[in-house]
């Protein structure tokens, strides 16, 4: 069964994580995603463990369901070909800074004039409308500017980056969503549009969901930040022999916890058993929780919580995920044979759709693997492709 974006053609000119992950999401949903790479390839091809050159783990994890086409866009002939391809495509996705894109002839106005149905998506560090426009930006920079790094002070005692490429990945979700919405609107109007996804603005909006706090009001009625997180009160708790994640949220959860912990009297104490009472001294409440959790080992707590409807979990190491019983039962890890890289482990597409099922159709491509195939589909003849090669459109001739 075809995915919901089957039949749509996407030119993905992006590199590193943000853009490629956006393109992968579209490919997972059935779109024909053509990854346009420079002759040296996406830099992530060189990052992480690998079995062969230019097929690093970071690239492999973010470029499935794509075909690879090499074009040296500094070469005028390659630029001409790309603009020809854009006229026959539904989406063009890029992460090139606006000034450089304009020099390459990849501005929205010029491409839309030739293809009014084109959805043109620019993923970038900052909006072009502000003083940060044009600055280089990677995940660390955005974590710092968005307040996310400072929030880690509660755990580390100083600003730290979240040990995940959070800004890239969260912005990628927003970008794929925005492209899908633009395509949906095109079905109504017949026209494409320009879509912009700046990382900083996306992450500030993301963080503001809980951390805008008293600044929701003007003038502010309290400080910014969600206190249980900003104060470092919510965290994995030490047990007698390990750590446990435990989060009673509503009053019923709290009463049940105190009963399971062998302290039913606390379930009757308004300072612990009601939301209003807990809010008066959150530090004391969570400190008491920590004391109780330390009285038993992991296995005993897991047995007590099982079936109780109290939210809990073990604290997995990354390696534990490979054999997590739930992920194993649901078939989350997909084992697939790559023609040159051997057996691969890929995460399943987490979106379930009964009428248009997403699927892993293509494994991560070798650099330029589909160059001739793709150009032929866009109407270039064998002789035209040979002329482009001779002109250096794919890199140095030969």
């Amino acid at each position: 069964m075809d995915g919901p974006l089957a039949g749509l053609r996407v030119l993905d000119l992006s590199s590193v994580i943000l853009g490629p992950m956006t393109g992968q999401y579209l490919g997972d949903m059935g779109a024909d995603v053509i990854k346009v790479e420079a002759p040296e390839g996406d830099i992530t091809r060189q990052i992480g463990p690998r079995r062969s050159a230019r097929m690093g783990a970071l690239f492999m994890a973010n470029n499935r369901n794509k075909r690879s086409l090499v074009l040296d866009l500094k070469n005028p002939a390659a630029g001409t070909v790309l603009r020809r391809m854009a006229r026959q495509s539904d989406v063009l996705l890029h992460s090139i800074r606006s000034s450089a894109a304009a020099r390459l002839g990849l501005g929205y106005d010029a491409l839309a004039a030739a293809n009014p149905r084109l959805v043109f998506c620019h993923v970038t560090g900052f909006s072009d409308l502000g003083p940060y426009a044009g600055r280089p930006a990677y995940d660390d920079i955005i974590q710092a500017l968005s307040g996310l790094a400072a929030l880690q002070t509660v755990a580390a005692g100083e600003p730290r980056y979240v040990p995940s490429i959070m800004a890239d990945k969260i912005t990628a979700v927003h970008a794929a969503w925005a492209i899908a919405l633009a395509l949906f609107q095109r079905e109504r109007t017949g026209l494409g549009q320009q879509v912009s996804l700046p990382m900083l603005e996306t992450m500030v909006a993301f963080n503001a969901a809980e951390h805008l706090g008293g600044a929701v009001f003007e003038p502010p009625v309290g400080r910014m930040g969600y206190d249980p997180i900003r104060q470092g009160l919510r965290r994995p708790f030490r047990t007698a022999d390990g750590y446990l994640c435990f989060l009673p949220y509503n009053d019923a959860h709290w009463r049940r916890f105190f009963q399971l912990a062998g302290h039913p009297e606390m379930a009757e104490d308004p300072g612990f058993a009601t939301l209003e009472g807990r809010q008066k001294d959150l530090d004391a409440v969570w400190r008491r929780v920590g004391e109780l959790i330390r009285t038993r080992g992991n296995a005993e707590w897991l047995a007590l919580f099982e079936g109780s409807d109290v939210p809990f979990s073990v604290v997995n190491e990354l390696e534990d995920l490979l054999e997590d019983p739930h992920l194993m039962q649901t078939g989350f890890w997909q084992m697939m044979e790559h023609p040159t890289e051997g057996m691969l482990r890929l995460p399943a597409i987490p979106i379930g759709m009964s009428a248009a099922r997403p699927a892993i159709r293509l494994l991560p491509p070798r650099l330029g693997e589909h160059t001739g195939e793709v150009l032929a589909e866009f109407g270039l003849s064998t002789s035209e492709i040979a002329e482009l090669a001779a002109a250096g459109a794919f890199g140095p001739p030969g």
Side-chain angles (χ1 to χ4, degrees):
M1 196 176 296
D2 290 334
L5 298 183
L8 296 178
R9 181 181 277 164
V10 177
L11 299 180
D12 178 2
L13 281 67
S14 64
S15 60
V16 193
I17 297 297
L18 166 53
M21 181 173 278
T22 302
Q24 179 167 276
Y25 287 143
L26 302 176
D28 287 350
M29 293 298 139
D32 175 17
V33 180
I34 300 164
K35 184 176 179 67
V36 181
E37 300 186 68
E40 63 272 18
D42 190 323
I43 191 173
T44 60
R45 287 182 175 274
Q46 310 296 334
I47 299 176
R50 70 206 77 163
R51 288 175 174 157
S52 60
R54 295 180 174 176
M55 295 298 277
L58 193 58
F59 173 83
M60 302 287 278
N62 294 283
N63 288 280
R64 69 187 183 197
N65 283 331
K66 301 180 185 182
R67 296 186 290 169
S68 174
L69 162 71
V70 166
L71 284 176
D72 183 356
L73 294 180
K74 297 175 183 177
N75 183 303
T80 299
V81 169
L82 184 63
R83 289 187 288 274
R84 175 174 171 178
M85 294 172 68
R87 290 196 294 271
Q88 303 176 54
S89 297
D90 299 284
V91 177
L92 187 144
L93 165 67
H94 81 89
S95 55
I96 306 168
R97 279 184 258 180
S98 298
S99 57
R103 288 195 300 271
L104 294 171
L106 297 177
Y108 171 69
D109 291 341
L111 295 178
N115 179 4
R117 289 177 55 81
L118 182 69
V119 171
F120 177 98
C121 182
H122 185 199
V123 292
T124 185
F126 311 100
S127 167
D128 284 339
L129 302 178
Y132 300 162
R135 284 190 187 180
Y138 290 96
D139 197 88
D140 293 3
I141 308 303
I142 303 302
Q143 285 202 36
L145 277 172
S146 69
L148 189 59
L151 283 169
Q152 309 317 306
T153 302
V154 300
E158 62 183 6
R160 292 282 183 89
Y161 304 127
V162 177
S164 177
I165 309 176
M166 292 284 287
D168 281 87
K169 294 191 290 186
I170 289 168
T171 308
V173 174
H174 283 75
W177 174 47
I179 290 169
L181 292 176
L183 289 167
F184 178 74
Q185 186 172 20
R186 190 181 74 170
E187 292 301 303
R188 293 176 166 178
T189 66
L191 296 174
Q193 62 184 287
Q194 184 172 13
V195 176
S196 300
L197 262 296
M199 294 170 69
L200 176 60
E201 287 86 338
T202 300
M203 286 304 297
V204 172
F206 184 84
N207 291 337
E210 76 272 37
H211 289 300
L212 195 54
V216 165
F217 306 94
E218 181 56 40
V221 298
R223 72 171 188 166
M224 291 181 69
Y226 182 47
D227 280 346
I229 294 176
R230 183 166 184 172
Q231 296 175 20
L233 302 176
R234 281 167 51 172
R235 61 189 185 277
F237 290 97
R238 183 181 290 278
T239 66
D241 58 5
Y243 286 90
L244 188 76
C245 176
F246 163 70
L247 184 62
Y249 207 77
N250 58 40
D251 291 347
H253 290 157
W254 282 94
R255 288 193 295 269
R256 183 64 177 147
F257 165 63
F258 291 128
Q259 292 164 357
L260 293 171
H263 288 272
E265 74 282 358
M266 295 181 68
E268 305 303 322
D269 184 337
F272 289 96
T274 67
L275 176 61
E276 183 180 2
R278 293 190 297 276
Q279 295 294 315
K280 293 177 181 178
D281 194 347
L282 283 171
D283 186 62
V285 170
W286 287 105
R287 186 169 60 250
R288 182 58 176 146
V289 167
E291 293 168 355
L292 293 175
I293 292 291
R294 279 195 296 271
T295 63
R296 291 177 168 86
N298 276 15
E300 190 173 357
W301 279 120
L302 293 176
L304 284 170
F305 285 142
E306 189 66 46
S308 68
D309 200 40
V310 176
F312 73 96
S313 76
V314 298
V315 178
N316 274 335
E317 297 286 348
L318 289 175
E319 289 76 11
D320 295 331
L321 299 175
L322 302 182
E323 296 184 359
D324 180 273
H326 180 83
L327 298 178
M328 295 285 285
Q329 180 67 32
T330 59
F332 177 80
W333 296 113
Q334 306 284 298
M335 307 301 292
M336 306 183 76
E337 184 79 23
H338 192 282
T340 62
E341 306 311 303
M343 189 63 69
L344 302 181
R345 176 185 285 103
L346 299 175
I349 300 166
I351 298 173
M353 303 180 72
S354 62
R357 188 169 302 166
I360 300 176
R361 299 169 287 104
L362 298 171
L363 295 176
R366 299 184 300 282
L367 179 61
E369 177 180 352
H370 305 98
T371 298
E373 171 186 309
V374 167
L375 293 178
E377 291 174 6
F378 278 90
L380 278 75
S381 67
T382 302
S383 60
E384 286 178 303
I385 295 172
E387 289 172 6
L388 287 168
F394 312 134

